[in-house]
Structure formats: C-alpha cells, structure tokens
Amino acid sequence: YFLSGGDAPAKASNNAKAAADARAKARQEAAEAKKAAQEEARKAAEARKQAQLEAAQAKKAAQEEKRQAALAEKQRIAEEKKQAQLEAKKKAEEAKAARAAKAKQASKPKAEAAPVAPVKSRSPTISLFGLGGGDDKVAPAPAPPAPKVTKKQPPAPAKKQAPRGVPTLSGWKLNGDGSISGSISGSPSFRDGERITTSQIANGRIESGSVVKTGSGSQYFLG
C-alpha cells in the first residue's frame, strides 16, 4: 500500500480549526451569558428602586392623610369649644337679665290695698198706711247679669314636620359665615342631640319649618 503524504497535515489543520471554532463559540456563549446576567441584575436593581420609590410615596401619602386628619380633628375641637363658649356666654347673659328683672320687680313698692267701702244696709221700710202716708216703697230686684259670651279661638296651625330622610336642627342659629349651628336629630352620621355646625348654606329660606341645603349638598330641616 502507498500512503499519501498530504492527508495528515490537512486533517490536523481541520482539527485545529474546529478547536478554534469551539473556543470562539464558548467565548461567545460566555459573553452572552454574562450580558444576560448583567441585564437580569439591572432589571432587579430597577425593580428594587421602583419598590423603594412606591414605598416612600405610600409612606408620604399616609403621613399626609394623618396630618390632614389631625388638622380636621383640631379644627372640630376648636369649633366645639367656640360653640360651648358662646352657649355659656348666652346662658350667663340670660341669667344676668333674669336676675336684673327679678331685682327690679322686688324694688317696686307694693301697691296698698284699696279700702273696702262699708256696705250700707237698707233701712227697714215703715208702713205709713193708715197714718196718712203713702204705700210702702219696695226696692226693685237687680237685673240678672248678661250671659258671658266666649269667643272661640281658631285652631292653632299644625307644626311642620321634617321630610322623610332629612335630619332636623333644633335650637339652631345662623353664624356669620353663612353656616348654621344646632342640635341634630334623625341623622345616621350623628347622635341625636349632638351639637354640629354645617357648611355654608347655599339654598333654602333660613327660617323655622324650612329645608336648607349646603354647598356640599347636605339638607337640614330647621325645627
């Protein structure tokens, strides 16, 4: 047999080329894997950053809501305190006026009782019959008193009632800012008898027996 001398170098060259291609492919796959890992790490970092941002925003919103609630509660307490002071001042003024009226009444001199005139008894009638005098004089009987006529009073008008579903404000008063303060009843949001202050009245006649409506749409019956 005769062996060709050119086959061995060609085979070695092919093997070297295949090995080089394999190494290049491995390097490419490693680079792509590294790039994919970097992309995954970048996405994970962005997700953590977004989560932290959303958590910070939620915390800020909760703090703002808490601050607003505290401010509203502070305003409500201040308004209730103001209303209580006004009520106390009104009661003090009424008590003062009552004491002044009582003192004035006590300082007036008592009217002296008018003296009762003595009733003159009628002298007995003496008959002069047979003595040359006239007939006996008999006093006429007093006329019966006229019957007392009582004037029939017209029936009092029926008191207006609140419409169904509309709460009633009793002992109400109009404030300077256009709102109304009073004791509420028939409301699902407040206890009966609780003192409240409405927002500014937008519609309705502000008088007893009327239904008024605030700018926010709430309705109240003024008792």
Side-chain angles (χ1 to χ4, degrees), residues 83-105:
Q83 293 297 329
Q85 290 175 346
L86 292 175
E87 289 293 328
K89 182 178 179 181
K90 182 180 178 181
K91 290 181 178 179
E93 290 176 352
E94 291 176 352
K96 183 178 179 181
R99 288 195 300 269
K102 188 175 180 181
K104 185 177 180 181
Q105 184 67 24

Side-chain angles (χ1 to χ4, degrees), residues 40-64:
E40 288 293 330
R42 185 185 67 80
K43 290 181 178 180
E46 288 182 354
R48 287 194 301 270
K49 184 177 180 181
Q50 183 66 24
Q52 291 173 353
L53 179 61
E54 291 177 354
Q57 290 176 346
K59 183 178 180 181
K60 184 177 179 181
Q63 290 175 344
E64 178 65 17

Side-chain angles (χ1 to χ4, degrees), residues 147-162:
K148 187 176 182 180
V149 179
T150 57
K151 187 176 182 181
K152 189 176 181 181
Q153 298 292 335
K159 186 177 181 181
K160 291 185 178 180
Q161 299 293 330

Side-chain angles (χ1 to χ4, degrees), residues 62-144:
Q63 290 175 344
E64 178 65 17
E65 184 178 356
K66 185 177 180 181
R67 187 184 71 83
Q68 291 292 341
L71 181 61
E73 180 66 13
K74 184 177 180 181
Q75 291 177 345
R76 185 186 67 81
I77 293 174
E79 183 64 25
E80 289 182 353
K81 184 177 180 181
K82 182 180 177 181
Q83 293 297 329
Q85 290 175 346
L86 292 175
E87 289 293 328
K89 182 178 179 181
K90 182 180 178 181
K91 290 181 178 179
E93 290 176 352
E94 291 176 352
K96 183 178 179 181
R99 288 195 300 269
K102 188 175 180 181
K104 185 177 180 181
Q105 184 67 24
S107 64
K108 289 183 179 181
K110 294 183 179 180
E112 297 180 357
V116 180
V119 179
K120 294 182 180 180
S121 59
R122 191 177 62 184
S123 58
T125 303
I126 301 174
S127 176
L128 301 178
F129 181 74
L131 298 178
D135 298 330
D136 291 344
K137 294 182 179 180
V138 180

Side-chain angles (χ1 to χ4, degrees), residues 76 80 168-170 181-185 189-197:
R76 185 186 67 81
E80 289 182 353
T168 300
L169 284 179
S170 303
S181 299
S183 300
I184 193 167
S185 60
S189 302
F190 301 95
R191 300 188 306 273
D192 286 354
E194 185 175 354
R195 296 285 300 181
I196 68 162
T197 297

